[in-house]
Each structure stands twice: as structure tokens, then as C-alpha cells.
Amino acid sequence: FIEIEKTPSIHGVGFATAMEVDRYNVLKATYLAVIRAFELALVKIQAQEQSAIGIDKQAFKKTYAFLTDGSHPLLSAGIKYFLPLPEFAQEFSHLRAFLAREKIMEQPLIKGDAKVLSIAAASILAKVSRDQKMRALSSTYPAYEFAVHKGYGTPKHLEKLRAHGPCAEHRKSYAPVAQALREWQAGTHL
């Protein structure tokens, strides 16, 4: 992870909140996280362009290829679904400006993380960033021990969920969380 972070590559890591997963569904929340990651990368590209004083700005005009791991074109699906929504107008301002002047070629690759180094690196960045987020959540919600189970539906996580009820970081649309919430509200939990 640290070695990837040190490379001169431009990358971003995006997340969707539990509330967004509940509102849009897991797949669309994945689209949202992908376009958030792309937006962060665009901010870095723009910073490089602005710091390139005396360099021909046309040098930054490139063909942009976006590779995704799997069978779905995540970026273009996210752009199609979320960019028209007014609540995301400000958040994706760099992406809107970029799309007005550039074109993105997206290629989904099944088992792409085994075929393309940059996809494998992106998978590592995403996984480690998620684990870091879970460790941070452990500080905010220590009773749930997010640092131990990383948010996965392990027996330990389900035990904590039943004992304490869902917190704001739990997806209420996820069946075990919904069940724990019903039990907690009915007073029938552990």
C-alpha cells in the first residue's frame, strides 16, 4: 500500500455511506464510490496542470482510459446515474468540467486485478483504505470492534450488532442489520 501511494501515479479512493447504500442500493453506491475516486484523481490532475508553469498545457491532453475489475462499466454507469442528480452538482464539479473537454474510454475486465497491474494496485488501495476506515470507526464506535471484523458479517460482528443494535454506519437494508434493528426496537435482542 505504502509503495503504491509513493508512485507517481494519480489515483483516488472513494466511498459511499451506509445511508447512500440504503438509498440507492449496493451496485449504485459502488458507482458513486467509483466516480468519487475519479473526482479525487481529477483534482490531482488539475493540481499537476496548474503547477506546470512554463510547460505546454497541451502536454496534458491525453487519451484517458479507465479500466475496471469485473464485467460492469462502473465509471460510465455512475456518470450516467449520478451526474444528472442536482444533489451531486457541486461534488462532481471537476468531473463535469473534465467531461466537457475530454473523453474517457472505459474497459471492464473480468479478473482484471490478475491481468493488469494498475487494477491490482487499485484493489490494494481500496482494500487497505477500507480497512483504515474501519479502524477509524472503531474509535468512534468502540463497542462494535470494527477494527477486528472490518465490517464484514463475521460471527463477532453479528454478535456486537445484536448486543448494541445498529449504529449510523450500518446499512439498514442489509438483512442481518435490519433483523438486529427490529430485535433492538422490540426489546428482544440478546
Side-chain angles (χ1 to χ4, degrees):
F1 176 81
I2 294 169
E3 291 300 315
I4 296 168
E5 282 281 300
K6 284 195 242 177
T7 65
S9 67
I10 294 176
H11 55 271
V13 176
F15 292 96
T17 67
M19 202 161 59
E20 290 167 336
V21 172
D22 288 339
R23 180 175 179 188
Y24 300 112
N25 76 38
V26 172
L27 183 58
K28 287 180 182 160
T30 301
Y31 298 161
L32 183 57
V34 167
I35 60 175
R36 282 182 172 145
F38 196 76
E39 175 78 9
L40 290 171
L42 289 175
V43 170
K44 292 176 185 178
I45 290 170
Q46 186 178 35
Q48 279 189 356
E49 288 176 351
Q50 289 173 351
S51 67
I53 299 170
I55 295 175
D56 180 11
K57 300 295 186 197
Q58 291 301 317
F60 289 99
K61 295 280 186 188
K62 299 177 180 143
T63 300
Y64 291 88
F66 189 83
L67 305 175
T68 55
D69 188 15
S71 59
H72 298 288
L74 303 174
L75 180 64
S76 56
I79 289 168
K80 182 179 178 183
Y81 187 83
F82 287 102
L83 255 56
L85 300 178
E87 61 263 39
F88 294 103
Q90 183 66 34
E91 182 176 357
F92 298 125
S93 60
H94 291 90
L95 181 54
R96 287 177 194 282
F98 179 83
L99 292 173
R101 69 179 192 280
E102 304 287 351
K103 189 169 182 179
I104 303 168
M105 296 180 345
E106 182 174 12
Q107 178 64 53
L109 295 168
I110 296 170
K111 299 186 190 259
D113 58 344
K115 298 174 184 174
V116 179
L117 188 58
S118 61
I119 294 176
S123 295
I124 292 167
L125 287 169
K127 173 76 169 97
V128 173
S129 296
R130 184 185 183 284
D131 289 353
Q132 289 172 340
K133 184 175 178 149
M134 290 295 115
R135 283 193 295 278
L137 284 176
S138 268
S139 298
T140 307
Y141 302 102
Y144 295 93
E145 298 183 29
F146 285 112
V148 174
H149 53 70
K150 308 290 189 291
Y152 294 108
T154 64
K156 178 67 135 181
H157 188 181
L158 297 176
E159 170 193 320
K160 297 296 180 180
L161 186 58
R162 284 190 298 276
H164 304 289
C167 73
E169 295 298 323
H170 284 100
R171 301 179 324 207
K172 311 302 186 278
S173 58
Y174 182 57
V177 175
Q179 178 64 33
L181 182 59
R182 284 191 300 274
E183 290 171 3
W184 191 259
Q185 289 170 336
T188 60
H189 60 287
L190 294 179

